[in-house]
Amino acid sequence: MTQAKNAASATFRRTCGVFIRATMAPLFVCYSAAMTKPVSATLPLLDLDRVLRFSLYSRWVFVAVLGTSTLVFYLLQLRLPLLPLALVAAGMAGVNLFLTRDWRRGRPAQRLLEFGLLLDVLALGLVLGLTGGASNPLAVLFLLPLVMAALVCPPRFSWWLTAIAIVLYLLLFFWNLPLPTGEHAGHGDHEALFNLHLIGMWLTFALSAGLITACVSRLVRILGERERRLNQAYQRQDTDERLLVLAMEAASLTHQLSTPLNNLFLLNEELRETPDLPEEVQEDLQLAHTQLAQCADILSRLKSQSQAEREPVRLYHTLGERLAQWQNLRPEVRVDWQRPVADQTVQLSPLFWPALFNILNNAADAGEGRIELHTHLHDNGDWELGVHNRSGVLSEAQLRRAGLDQFDSGKPAGLGLGVWLSHATLSRLNGRLELSNHAEGGVYARILLPLEPSA
């Protein structure tokens, strides 16, 4: 009779263990990963704020060059319309200040950029009209705002700006103030003036080439960064869709598991009420009762939890409590952890714990019942945890895909789903998970999670 009771108790204990490890841990990780607030995948077609900033800086350079040139013309006593040129420089500076102020107040960058480019074309046409018209080599600078508009503005605005620039350039042939020459200019003077014109053309070309190269290179870098962020958004969307399916399954399983959990509770109570049970059997039944109560608590949290916010916790005190609860479910596992003396209160999301314990479960299953846990809180607020099991090894393919997709984990019927879910949860908490083969043998999982101190 005693042997039969011991066999029944052992069978019950194994049933509880399989039930807990096969359903509760993955279920909670699935649900928590799906419930974590996702990072927005919405990306602008182009970072117009950066383009507008570049446009504002370029306009300040033009104003500085125009103002300096006007001052030099004045010192050299050249017969040029200095006052109108100074007014153009002052006007562009004022409008640029206005654009900068509106941009900082949150006005749409697209409208401000278009207004600024239109200002550039009109101001350049006015400057050229005051300094020789179409014969001024600076006329090639019309290309700069047109290139900028073609790259970042709607086609309709770009064509309108191009038409305005063409008309202004045509008017410069008929309406302009010629550059000053001597009253009795001879052949040598005209030759010197022509050479000066050639030098101006070269300088203008060099300036235009430099500005166009800088502008296009900057925009290419912006587009490259946008493409990289877009690829990340596509990957995140794919992860969100997969997590949504898992969340729906988790929500369904919370209801389906209630009946077998209640049956196990009743079976446990019936066995505990059996008279003359050996003390070892009573201890095993009490342990099973504790584990079942913890399973019921997990199911209750799953049913009531829709979104978990960060909450203040004493970091290592809470970690010690959570480890004790986890070891109630895994009493056969030995965890070597040296608890730091100093503790700190931080803001920590409850969704971190399922991800951590899923990694601990994998390490415990692969590490023959013993794992090492290392913790360190960096000065910058990053919390680093290392989980080391001294058994097993990951292939190069598994290391490349670790956390990014499901892969064969080497455990019976294992697909690496837990690692993928932990990686997804930590990523949404702005943390990361890294797997590597330890130099002393086994696999090492490194978790890095940024924390904020509690106010």
Side-chain angles (χ1 to χ4, degrees), residues 6 62 68 77 132 143 150 162 199 203 260 342 349 385 395 427 430 449:
N6 290 340
F62 182 81
T68 303
Q77 298 183 351
L143 294 176
T162 301
I199 293 175
L203 290 175
S349 172
L385 300 93
S395 66
S427 176
N430 297 323
L449 183 68

Side-chain angles (χ1 to χ4, degrees), residues 39-50 222-237:
V39 179
S40 175
T42 303
L43 296 176
L45 293 179
L46 194 63
D47 192 349
L48 291 178
D49 286 332
R50 297 177 62 178
I222 293 174
L223 289 173
E225 181 179 348
R226 177 250 177 187
E227 187 69 20
R228 178 183 60 82
R229 292 172 59 196
L230 192 59
N231 289 334
Q232 292 179 348
Y234 286 148
Q235 293 178 358
R236 178 59 56 85
Q237 182 179 4

Side-chain angles (χ1 to χ4, degrees), residues 238-239 242 397-409 415-421 423-424 435:
D238 179 67
T239 301
R242 295 163 65 184
Q398 288 176 327
L399 288 175
R400 285 194 302 268
R401 297 299 303 165
L404 302 179
D405 205 345
Q406 301 177 26
F407 61 92
D408 294 333
S409 64
L415 296 175
L417 177 62
V419 176
W420 175 68
L421 288 171
H423 182 276
L435 298 182

Side-chain angles (χ1 to χ4, degrees), residues 60-75 82 89:
W60 283 124
V61 172
F62 182 81
V63 169
V65 171
L66 181 58
T68 303
S69 301
T70 303
L71 180 61
V72 171
F73 295 156
Y74 173 77
L75 295 177
L82 301 181

Side-chain angles (χ1 to χ4, degrees), residues 234-249:
Y234 286 148
Q235 293 178 358
R236 178 59 56 85
Q237 182 179 4
D238 179 67
T239 301
D240 289 343
E241 292 175 354
R242 295 163 65 184
L243 288 176
L244 179 59
V245 174
L246 290 173
M248 295 173 63
E249 289 293 332

Side-chain angles (χ1 to χ4, degrees), residues 229-352:
R229 292 172 59 196
L230 192 59
N231 289 334
Q232 292 179 348
Y234 286 148
Q235 293 178 358
R236 178 59 56 85
Q237 182 179 4
D238 179 67
T239 301
D240 289 343
E241 292 175 354
R242 295 163 65 184
L243 288 176
L244 179 59
V245 174
L246 290 173
M248 295 173 63
E249 289 293 332
S252 175
L253 287 176
T254 55
H255 298 283
Q256 298 179 21
L257 291 175
S258 299
T259 299
L261 184 62
N262 291 332
N263 292 338
L264 289 173
F265 260 118
L266 294 175
L267 181 58
N268 179 269
E269 292 294 336
E270 183 178 347
L271 289 173
R272 290 174 64 188
E273 292 175 358
T274 303
D276 302 326
L277 286 176
E279 184 177 351
E280 294 181 358
V281 176
Q282 292 179 0
E283 292 177 356
D284 291 341
L285 291 175
Q286 180 59 39
L287 175 60
H289 179 79
T290 303
Q291 293 177 342
L292 289 172
Q294 193 162 349
C295 291
D297 180 65
I298 292 175
L299 280 180
S300 177
R301 277 185 286 165
L302 281 173
K303 292 178 181 179
S304 61
Q305 177 182 343
S306 60
Q307 187 170 357
E309 303 293 339
R310 294 177 182 266
E311 58 185 12
V313 296
R314 291 175 56 196
L315 188 59
Y316 293 118
H317 175 77
T318 306
L319 177 59
E321 290 183 343
R322 296 280 185 162
L323 283 175
Q325 296 175 3
W326 177 73
Q327 288 199 283
N328 286 335
L329 300 177
R330 303 296 300 268
E332 77 283 1
V333 179
R334 175 185 170 186
V335 180
D336 296 331
W337 174 50
Q338 187 67 35
R339 178 174 175 174
V341 178
D343 205 346
Q344 186 174 350
T345 302
V346 298
Q347 296 286 336
L348 182 62
S349 172
L351 301 178
F352 164 74

